[in-house]
Amino acid sequence: MVFLIPNSRYKKELAKKSVKEHFRNTMLHGFDTDATMLRIGAMNLMLHDVDNPQVAWQDSLSADNTDTERYSLILANPPFAGSLDNDAVAKSLLTIAKTKKTELLFLALFIRSLRVGGRCASIVPDGVLTGSSKAHKDLRKELVENQYLEAVISMPAGVFLPYSNVSTAILIFTKTNAGGTDRVWFYDMKADGFSLDQKRNEIADNDIPDIIARFHDRKAGESERKRTDKSFLVPQSEIIEHGYDLAFNTYKETIREKVEFEPTESIMNRLHTTEETFLRGMVELQKMLAQ
C-alpha cells in the first residue's frame, strides 16, 4: 500500500480551496420573514461570490426555528421595539428571558444558536442596557454571569439616520454556558465618520479605527484607562452591584470644575451702588420734568 503525502504547497492550495468552498456554500446563513428582503439579501451575497446563499423564509423567534448550538459567529442588527405574543415564541427562548420584546428575544435566540465558544456582536437599543423589567435584568444577568460578556460599545443617536434616530449600542459576547466575564470593556463612540443628521455626509471625526485598535488591546492597554476616558474596563462585581446596568454613563466618572463665586458682601455692595445710582437718576429726571 502506498500513501501519497501532499507537499506543503499543495496543502496550502487545498486549504484555500476548502475555505473558498465553505465561503461560497455553507458559511453564511440568514433568515427573514420578508420575501423581498430575502431576494435582495440573496442577490447581494451572490454578487459577493457566494454561489449558494443559505437564506430562507422563517420566523426566527418561532418554534419552527430549531437552530441550537449551531453557529460559531453571529453578526446581527435585529428588529427593535417589536412585541410578540408568548404563544408565537419558542419556549426555549422564554426560559432565558420571559418577555414579548423582540430585542430581548433575539438576544436569547443568539445565545441558544451559538456553539459553546461561538461569538456574537449584536446591535441593541439603549433600553436593553438599562431596562428595569425582570426580563431585561434576567437577560443581562445571563450575559454577565453565565456567558462571557466582552464589550459594550455605545453609539450616538443618528448613526442609523435617515431610517431611525434611536440610540444604540453593540454587545459583544462569547457563549460559554459557564461564565467567564471578568471585566467588561466599555467605549463611548461619539462619531462614525459621518454627520449625525439626515444627510449623513462624510466627516473627519471617526472613532471606529480607535475602537478596533483598543478592543484588540483591551487586556493590556486598557487596564490603566481612567473612568474619565472614552473607554475603560469595569469589573463584573461592580456591574452586578449596579443591577447589571450596562450603560456607559453608569460607570463614567465626571470631573466637575470648582466654580469660584463672588462673595455675598461684594454682590450686596454692588447692588446698593446700583440702587443709589438709579435713585439719583430718578431725582434728576423729576427735576427735568418739573422745569
Side-chain angles (χ1 to χ4, degrees):
M1 184 177 289
V2 178
F3 291 92
L4 299 176
I5 311 293
N7 61 34
S8 58
R9 179 180 178 183
Y10 181 78
K11 283 182 179 179
K12 290 181 180 178
E13 294 300 321
L14 184 64
K16 289 180 182 178
K17 184 178 179 180
S18 65
V19 169
K20 186 176 292 185
E21 288 300 312
H22 175 51
F23 173 76
R24 288 180 169 176
N25 295 285
T26 59
M27 178 176 172
L28 302 174
H29 297 256
F31 305 105
D32 207 302
T33 55
D34 188 320
T36 300
M37 293 305 298
L38 285 174
R39 287 195 292 269
I40 293 173
M43 180 58 70
N44 191 20
L45 289 170
M46 293 173 72
L47 290 173
H48 288 83
D49 294 329
V50 179
D51 298 332
N52 186 25
Q54 300 293 314
V55 293
W57 188 94
Q58 182 173 263
D59 182 350
S60 298
L61 299 177
S62 72
D64 294 334
N65 182 2
T66 58
D67 287 347
T68 302
E69 297 192 354
R70 181 180 181 186
Y71 304 109
S72 59
L73 177 64
I74 293 177
L75 304 175
N77 181 13
F80 300 160
S83 182
L84 300 174
D85 293 332
N86 286 344
D87 293 341
V89 179
K91 298 297 184 286
S92 59
L93 302 182
L94 297 177
T95 59
I96 299 175
K98 192 172 184 180
T99 180
K100 297 179 180 180
K101 295 183 177 296
T102 54
E103 58 265 34
L104 299 181
L105 291 169
F106 269 100
L107 280 174
L109 173 66
F110 301 153
I111 295 171
R112 190 194 75 183
S113 301
L114 284 171
R115 302 170 183 169
V116 172
R119 304 178 75 197
C120 174
S122 176
I123 295 171
V124 298
D126 275 0
V128 172
L129 309 180
T130 59
S132 58
S133 74
K134 184 177 185 302
H136 282 88
K137 290 185 177 180
D138 285 348
L139 197 285
R140 297 197 298 266
K141 180 179 180 180
E142 173 70 23
L143 292 174
V144 172
E145 292 198 10
N146 298 333
Q147 313 301 334
Y148 171 31
L149 180 60
E150 300 177 52
V152 180
I153 302 169
S154 296
M155 297 190 290
V159 293
F160 291 111
L161 284 173
Y163 309 106
S164 173
N165 197 36
V166 176
S167 294
T168 55
I170 302 173
L171 293 181
I172 301 176
F173 66 91
T174 298
K175 179 175 179 176
T176 64
N177 284 343
T181 303
D182 178 21
R183 295 184 297 173
V184 178
W185 184 66
F186 286 80
Y187 192 105
D188 187 23
M189 185 175 83
K190 297 296 186 182
D192 67 341
F194 296 89
S195 59
L196 299 173
D197 54 25
Q198 297 287 335
K199 295 182 179 180
R200 295 288 281 160
N201 294 322
E202 191 169 352
I203 60 174
D205 294 337
N206 187 357
D207 289 331
I208 294 177
D210 187 54
I211 291 172
I212 295 172
R214 292 189 179 279
F215 176 79
H216 290 297
D217 191 39
R218 66 189 187 282
K219 296 287 186 180
E222 295 295 289
S223 296
E224 302 302 321
R225 300 274 282 180
K226 298 178 180 178
R227 296 290 178 90
T228 54
D229 295 326
K230 291 177 70 173
S231 64
F232 46 75
L233 293 163
V234 178
Q236 183 204 49
S237 58
E238 187 175 347
I239 294 173
I240 294 174
E241 287 175 6
H242 282 85
Y244 305 97
D245 192 317
L246 297 178
F248 179 88
N249 288 335
T250 299
Y251 307 100
K252 177 184 178 181
E253 181 183 336
T254 302
I255 297 178
R256 294 177 174 82
E257 294 183 6
K258 185 177 180 181
V259 179
E260 296 289 344
F261 293 100
E262 187 177 355
T264 304
E265 184 179 355
S266 176
I267 295 174
M268 293 302 297
N269 289 337
R270 190 150 40 83
L271 285 173
H272 287 310
T273 301
T274 302
E275 184 180 20
E276 290 172 358
T277 303
F278 174 75
L279 292 174
R280 285 197 299 270
M282 290 292 292
V283 171
E284 291 177 2
L285 178 61
Q286 273 187 323
K287 291 179 179 179
M288 292 173 60
L289 293 173
Q291 293 178 353

